[in-house]
Amino acid sequence: MPHDLPKAYEPGAIEARWAEFWVNEKLFSAPNPEPGDSRPRFSLLLPPPNVTGRLHMGHMLNQTQMDIIVRWHRMRGFLTLWLPGTDHASIATQMMVERQLATEKKRRQDLGRDAFIERVWCWKRHYGGAILEQMKRLGASVDWDREYFTLDENLSRAVREAFVRLYEEGLIYRGKYIVNWCPRCGTAISDLEVKHEEAPGKLYEIRYPVVGSDEFITVATTRPETMLGDTAVAVNEKDERYKHLHGKKVRLPLMNREIPIITDEVAQPEFGTGAVKITPSHDANDFEAGLRHNLPQIDVMDERAKMNSNAGPYAGLDRSEARDRVLNDLREQGFLVAEKDYTVALAKCDRCGTVVEPRLSLQWFLKVEPLAKRAIEVVEKGYIHFKPENYKQIYLNWMCNIHDWCISRQLWWGERIPAWCCLDCGETIVARDSPSQCTKCSSGRLEQDPDVLDTWFSSGQLPFTALGWPEATADLAAFYPTSLLITGFDILFLWVARGMIMLSCWFMSPPHRPLAEGEKPLDSEAVLRESVPFREVYIHALVRDADRQKMSKTKGNVLDPIEVIEKYGTDATRFTLASMSSPGTDIAFNPSRTEGYRAFANKIWNAARFMFMNVDRIGSGGVANGSFKSSKGISGFAPVALEDRWILSRFNRVAGGVDTALRAYRFDDAARAIYDFFWGELCDWYIELIKPRLLAEGEADGKSARASCANLVLLFEASLRLLHPIMPFITEEIWHAIYDGEPPLRSIALAAYPQIDSGQVDGVAENDISILQDVIINIRNLRAELKVEQKVKVPVQIYAADSAIRTLIQQNQGAIERLANVDSIAFSEKSLANLAGARGTTRFDVLLIYEKKIDAAVERERLRKDLDRYEKEISNGQRQLQNEQFLAKAPKQVVEGIRKRAEELEILIRTTRSKLDGL
RNA sequence: GGGCGGUUAGCUCAGUUGGUUAGAGCGCCUGCCUUACAAGCAGGAGGUCGCAGGUUCGAGUCCUGCACUGCCCACCA
């Protein structure tokens, strides 16, 4: 670091340089673990961003938290792996490319499947790395050597393997069921990809004429267009109103079809008219009812939600046009008897917002029950621990009510389902590799299932597939289960629960768990415990904008992390996110806060500049040698003066506090503790206190100056290590400078993380310094009240009953004089407390000797206010002290505290009164 | 329809298992270009902790109800 540093910290160039350095030096590549390596392991998976993705604030929060935890572990000596990769994100990516095609006025069908997929690969090669490049800029200390893409050949093979095994176990089946169908995307989606919304709508009542009578039966529906596919009307068996109609038929209006009246539980007498139309092809409940009663299924729409030929005269109409026409016709023909305002529940595609159509179609499903059972057990037994803990219950509730998972998608981009259909005999063949002939009829005319797998089905396997499953790889042995997962609750069910926990517990248990040669199978208790994808899940909050609004493109309130970074620096942005990561609430990201942390970076920068301006005197280089290895306290720090003992003690306590905070994922506490220490103690007091020694010239003080320089560098070096996980860039920069560009390690990230050394904690020094701070602050207060000009030095009188305090003040007279701008200190024989213009605590009083009169009116008001407060407080205190129950029940410390405070208050009240009288 | 959060200074948020005087940053006011830092230094104003009850010697903290607000889940026509 050159000595003519800019006065203001400029993060841009520095951060870019280190980001590149970390990647190029492969600093964070986890070594291939040796069998004998007994270091504790720490591994975690980066939730893979979509290849199509651009970094947003949520990513940055997520990655900042992970990076803090990862760097912290690495510095504490863990063998650490943070595994990055990207997700092919079948539906999202396909949409992206289709949108691009649309600008060329083309559809994917115009290209054909192969050409379209090639186009996506092209696109992926071109734009796919963007988000990872952005991650590098954040300083994410991932292992770039192990980076994967979910369609890499080894991962694809693993996913096919998993599919085949599940199929062979009878857990994957194919069937025609009602699924959520997005007419715009043209594919089935799972229930978790559907968002429910409420919207004002209508409840229509339609009467169906009963065959062979003049009667009508009136049904209620919010979706009249589906009546074209009705195959029954249901009433409740117990419903007296309809008992006489059991077994009869109705004539379906518009379609002129006779359909039966059935009795079924779906019809609830209290709702609407108590009679419900049954459309098995367009409603999940009706589908079930249809199966119970053997009803025909009449599908009246196509895959784009246009009416098909089954809809008779309505064929070709879009579903909403069809609704209007049906209603019109019903109205004209007198079948529509009521239209009531009604709040309808709309199901929308999570991706594109199109209203989902329940649609009967042939799909692949995963039978989740046996997998869910394990997924419940591992959480109940505490093998996976949720943080915050309330997610455990949310998870369990959900997992207990889980439905079978539709895993096929009618998309082109993705992991193709490894199933083939024999064009001759219709046999379905599920195989790891493309079969050459039908297993049943030996025909060679086989066609692969056109569908691809739900992305979450493959990404749910990443904890084990990304480590090498189904092979017994060294990585799998060394790093599975991973230690931690940090993610947002938005993908808790989609990815964490239904994906990773369910699939990992299944495939990392016997018989699927691969065993290395000579490895003993797990005992029964360990089977479950070791099958989990991660031992802990930390769920982080959502990042909102400064007005607590969800960031969204449509609202235009999306904050681009890269822009924030360019303005304030990565370190400041990371620090903002860390300091706002308190549990329970969302994060309202306010750049004014980031501005404050940029100032913090600047403060550190300038403290470093100051240090380097003085450290010359004893030569740079070697001062801090060895201390970077000290994981306890600061090794080599040799206290000479009181403030040395104090700052060493404070450093240790802060290190202890940070450790506690990070263990509990209290990033905010950790950040605050370091901030307060660095700025409020190291800069505001320690540096100010040692300045005279640091700047001292001449032989007499030379030794002391050298010692304080050495201590300052050691302190600084250790403080940088403490801060490094949160602010990696500036700490790296200054750390290298401390070693004059020749550090003992390639990076501060490889140095030891400071831990508390209780031997370096010094309560006496902390207490003494706090008295001196009180003295100085009281004098500063007086100066401000008396409006003493900044430059004028003033003599003070101090009274202290305790001789130890007098000694302390005498010994540190120079410091007081400098920091409070005092030119002499005289001790008074008697208390000064009663004098107007004096201040103090129970331990001492100070009085300024200054001719300027205080403003009596202002002073009187201030004193009155104080007096009020004191009197209120003392009356509270005395009431408590007179209360026998309080004395009997409250802890001794509390009673003692209040008693002491009451004594203090009595003095304060007395002196305040006499000051008032004096005025 | 179930469930979960939030409500503390003008703004954004901390506040451990109930315990002496409820904190920080930003903003605001006053004074300082004090040789590391004006992105700074020193000092200051500003809060009946959403409302109403209850438990307790003692409640921002625990309990009940209410209000406002955000979110998750849910096949009710």
Side-chain angles (χ1 to χ4, degrees), chain A residues 545-565:
Chain A
D545 75 359
D547 301 319
R548 311 209 113 268
Q549 296 292 306
K550 220 173 184 167
M551 290 187 191
S552 76
K553 280 182 195 156
T554 44
K555 280 186 207 152
N557 63 345
V558 177
L559 263 181
D560 181 351
I562 298 298
E563 280 174 26
V564 178
I565 280 171

Side-chain angles (χ1 to χ4, degrees), chain A residues 327-611:
Chain A
L327 283 171
N328 246 329
D329 294 348
L330 287 172
R331 210 175 280 128
E332 269 173 24
Q333 296 172 36
F335 291 113
L336 187 64
V337 294
E339 296 177 53
K340 294 174 179 162
D341 286 333
Y342 190 72
T343 304
V344 295
L346 286 183
K348 291 188 171 175
C349 173
D350 196 23
R351 282 281 151 210
C352 68
T354 307
V355 174
V356 162
E357 191 62 45
R359 180 160 197 256
L360 191 60
S361 64
L362 190 59
Q363 302 287 348
W364 292 90
F365 294 88
L366 176 64
K367 190 187 272 183
V368 294
E369 201 195 328
L371 287 80
K373 203 174 144 242
R374 275 189 207 172
I376 289 166
E377 204 178 344
V378 292
V379 169
E380 274 179 343
K381 289 194 169 161
Y383 298 146
I384 296 178
H385 187 248
F386 281 89
K387 195 96 193 172
E389 277 172 45
N390 58 325
Y391 283 103
K392 177 181 174 180
Q393 204 48 50
I394 295 173
Y395 167 90
L396 288 173
N397 285 345
W398 184 82
M399 198 51 100
C400 290
N401 296 307
I402 188 170
H403 302 297
D404 280 1
W405 175 8
C406 174
I407 53 172
S408 46
R409 295 290 181 275
Q410 287 63 53
L411 301 166
W412 285 353
W413 172 248
E415 187 64 50
R416 194 139 174 199
I417 290 181
W420 286 261
C421 179
C422 174
L423 296 176
D424 286 321
C425 73
E427 177 73 356
T428 297
I429 303 142
V430 169
R432 288 163 180 83
D433 298 300
S434 172
S436 55
Q437 57 178 35
C438 175
T439 48
K440 195 174 167 195
C441 74
S442 301
S443 158
R445 298 178 60 231
L446 300 176
E447 195 173 80
Q448 187 170 7
D449 194 298
D451 294 354
V452 299
L453 288 164
D454 181 3
T455 307
W456 301 106
F457 181 78
S458 63
S459 63
Q461 297 171 33
L462 283 171
F464 52 99
T465 54
L467 292 171
W469 186 96
E471 309 303 326
T473 60
D475 274 359
L476 195 63
F479 295 116
Y480 193 93
T482 65
S483 316
L484 173 68
L485 176 78
I486 300 186
T487 189
F489 69 83
D490 50 330
I491 48 174
L492 178 63
F493 302 132
L494 213 47
W495 187 49
V496 180
R498 191 170 67 182
M500 290 191 287
I501 298 181
M502 261 183 16
L503 293 169
S504 299
C505 291
W506 193 259
F507 284 110
M508 286 304 284
S509 298
H512 303 298
R513 187 188 182 99
L515 284 181
E517 219 169 298
E519 191 186 340
K520 271 186 276 173
L522 297 169
D523 65 62
S524 60
E525 197 42 46
V527 162
L528 263 184
R529 196 182 61 229
E530 299 304 313
S531 72
V532 298
F534 27 74
R535 304 210 187 271
E536 203 162 10
V537 184
Y538 175 81
I539 308 281
H540 68 242
L542 198 71
V543 184
R544 298 167 171 281
D545 75 359
D547 301 319
R548 311 209 113 268
Q549 296 292 306
K550 220 173 184 167
M551 290 187 191
S552 76
K553 280 182 195 156
T554 44
K555 280 186 207 152
N557 63 345
V558 177
L559 263 181
D560 181 351
I562 298 298
E563 280 174 26
V564 178
I565 280 171
E566 276 167 3
K567 195 160 176 198
Y568 303 107
T570 307
D571 281 337
T573 313
R574 286 172 59 117
F575 203 95
T576 309
L577 290 167
S579 70
M580 300 196 74
S581 294
S582 36
T585 52
D586 287 341
I587 295 176
F589 191 94
N590 196 331
S592 76
R593 199 108 169 212
T594 315
E595 212 175 318
Y597 296 125
R598 179 185 60 177
F600 178 51
N602 190 51
K603 187 76 184 177
I604 295 167
W605 182 255
N606 277 291
R609 277 180 67 218
F610 176 75
M611 174 175 69

Side-chain angles (χ1 to χ4, degrees), chain A residues 605-842:
Chain A
W605 182 255
N606 277 291
R609 277 180 67 218
F610 176 75
M611 174 175 69
F612 291 124
M613 287 165 109
N614 297 286
V615 86
D616 282 0
R617 293 160 185 250
I618 50 165
S620 40
V623 177
N625 271 354
S627 74
F628 67 91
K629 286 186 249 175
S630 67
S631 57
K632 279 204 147 193
I634 306 176
S635 90
F637 189 103
V640 175
L642 172 62
E643 60 269 20
D644 297 330
R645 284 160 53 212
W646 169 75
I647 199 72
L648 183 61
S649 180
R650 291 299 309 140
F651 175 85
N652 276 279
R653 275 201 215 271
V654 171
V658 169
D659 187 71
T660 307
L662 289 180
R663 281 177 197 279
Y665 306 108
R666 288 303 305 262
F667 303 96
D668 58 330
D669 282 350
R672 201 182 354 266
I674 298 172
Y675 180 97
D676 289 345
F677 171 74
F678 219 113
W679 197 320
E681 297 189 307
L682 201 165
C683 291
D684 287 351
W685 290 98
Y686 184 66
I687 288 182
E688 293 305 327
L689 284 166
I690 64 167
K691 263 182 185 171
R693 284 195 281 155
L694 219 46
L695 303 170
E697 299 283 348
E699 284 303 301
D701 281 3
K703 194 176 159 200
S704 161
R706 262 195 298 285
S708 48
C709 283
N711 281 339
L712 178 61
V713 174
L714 288 167
L715 171 68
F716 216 103
E717 190 274 340
S719 302
L720 291 171
R721 280 185 280 129
L722 195 64
L723 174 61
H724 179 260
I726 308 181
M727 290 185 143
F729 294 98
I730 191 173
T731 50
E732 184 83 296
E733 175 75 12
I734 299 173
W735 194 75
H736 282 253
I738 283 178
Y739 295 96
D740 232 12
E742 290 173 16
L745 298 167
R746 282 180 298 159
S747 167
I748 186 176
L750 305 176
Y753 200 70
Q755 311 267 318
I756 184 170
D757 175 356
S758 48
Q760 294 185 339
V761 172
D762 186 337
V764 175
E766 290 191 10
N767 190 49
D768 284 352
I769 289 285
S770 91
I771 292 170
L772 292 173
Q773 287 174 329
D774 276 350
V775 171
I776 291 163
I777 287 168
N778 272 287
I779 297 172
R780 284 174 180 168
N781 281 333
L782 279 174
R783 292 180 60 101
E785 280 159 24
L786 295 172
K787 298 208 182 339
V788 180
E789 281 160 53
Q790 214 80 21
K791 283 177 188 160
V792 176
K793 285 184 193 284
V794 178
V796 297
Q797 263 197 332
I798 297 181
Y799 166 78
D802 186 343
S803 67
I805 292 180
R806 287 200 300 275
T807 307
L808 177 71
I809 291 171
Q810 260 165 348
Q811 282 172 346
N812 293 278
Q813 187 164 345
I816 297 170
E817 286 173 356
R818 268 176 22 83
L819 298 186
N821 215 12
V822 163
D823 67 359
S824 70
I825 296 174
F827 283 100
S828 161
E829 295 291 314
K830 53 182 195 229
S831 169
L832 306 164
N834 291 340
L835 300 171
R839 268 181 170 254
T841 68
T842 45

Side-chain angles (χ1 to χ4, degrees), chain A residues 96-255:
Chain A
M96 210 92 163
V97 177
E98 281 181 311
R99 207 174 295 150
Q100 195 191 41
L101 277 180
T103 64
E104 303 162 22
K105 300 239 173 349
K106 279 192 215 152
R107 295 178 316 140
R108 70 173 199 264
Q109 288 81 357
D110 299 332
L111 298 188
R113 185 163 188 149
D114 290 344
F116 178 76
I117 290 175
E118 187 42 45
R119 174 96 184 218
V120 184
W121 277 108
C122 239
W123 191 92
K124 187 251 166 191
R125 279 190 291 268
H126 209 81
Y127 302 101
I131 194 159
L132 298 181
E133 289 310 309
Q134 291 178 311
M135 273 183 70
K136 290 175 184 167
R137 187 70 180 76
L138 302 186
S141 61
V142 299
D143 183 345
W144 293 107
D145 286 339
R146 283 180 171 82
E147 183 194 332
Y148 64 84
F149 175 56
T150 52
L151 291 183
D152 286 346
E153 181 45 34
N154 56 333
L155 288 176
S156 278
R157 205 177 321 117
V159 169
R160 286 199 299 274
E161 178 70 32
F163 183 95
V164 172
R165 290 193 193 185
L166 287 168
Y167 181 78
E168 286 168 352
E169 290 175 298
L171 294 175
I172 281 181
Y173 60 93
R174 195 179 189 210
K176 216 174 178 189
Y177 296 94
I178 291 274
V179 294
N180 300 298
W181 183 273
C182 175
R184 199 220 60 87
C185 301
T187 179
I189 53 179
S190 78
D191 44 1
L192 287 178
E193 290 159 287
V194 173
K195 294 287 149 228
H196 296 275
E197 263 177 39
E198 295 202 325
K202 301 259 190 222
L203 184 65
Y204 302 96
E205 292 187 5
I206 307 168
R207 55 186 193 178
Y208 291 3
V210 177
V211 175
S213 88
D214 302 336
E215 253 188 283
F216 291 93
I217 190 162
T218 304
V219 299
T221 181
T222 55
R223 302 206 47 207
E225 69 281 10
T226 63
M227 68 159 293
L228 304 173
D230 281 2
T231 55
V233 168
V235 296
N236 196 292
E237 196 173 6
K238 293 177 194 136
D239 195 333
E240 296 293 337
R241 290 172 290 181
Y242 300 114
K243 278 215 158 139
H244 63 293
L245 295 176
H246 291 182
K248 297 210 164 159
K249 292 192 165 181
V250 293
R251 178 164 295 281
L252 185 64
L254 310 184
M255 298 305 283

